[in-house]
Amino acid sequence: GENFCHTIAEALQAGCPVLATDKTPWTGILREGAGYVCTDRSDLAAVARLVDAARLDAAAGRTLARQQARQGFERWFQCQPFDVVEAALAAVAGRDAQWIADP
């Protein structure tokens, strides 16, 4: 029920795989290995995905899942425009947004 999906970004950044429905903007990133996607919104489907995660080999599987979550965040982050605050500062200054990054 979280509106802006910022908790998903924060979880992935921390290396925590995410379980979400296929109705979020994160579906592609999660399907690429950063987490789990439930196309069926039933409780049983969510439990099945959680069981899949719990069955990962304790050391290697969970480490890989955390790495993939972090890599998913990195892929997403590289595609995102710079911070909205930076854009506002650039607009107020009457400058190109690049000015904030490279004065």
Side-chain angles (χ1 to χ4, degrees), residues 24-60:
T24 75
W26 295 93
T27 300
I29 295 289
L30 297 179
R31 283 192 173 139
E32 290 174 359
Y36 305 92
V37 177
C38 278
T39 55
D40 176 354
R41 298 183 85 178
S42 72
D43 292 344
L44 198 54
V47 168
R49 287 297 192 177
L50 291 173
V51 167
D52 289 344
R55 286 185 176 155
L56 290 175
D57 174 50

Side-chain angles (χ1 to χ4, degrees), residues 31-87:
R31 283 192 173 139
E32 290 174 359
Y36 305 92
V37 177
C38 278
T39 55
D40 176 354
R41 298 183 85 178
S42 72
D43 292 344
L44 198 54
V47 168
R49 287 297 192 177
L50 291 173
V51 167
D52 289 344
R55 286 185 176 155
L56 290 175
D57 174 50
R62 291 186 182 147
T63 298
L64 179 60
R66 292 183 65 82
Q67 290 171 344
Q68 289 176 326
R70 178 75 179 150
Q71 290 167 354
F73 173 81
E74 293 296 330
R75 284 191 306 277
W76 171 80
F77 187 75
Q78 290 173 4
C79 296
Q80 298 309 303
F82 52 88
D83 192 316
V84 172
V85 174
E86 292 176 359

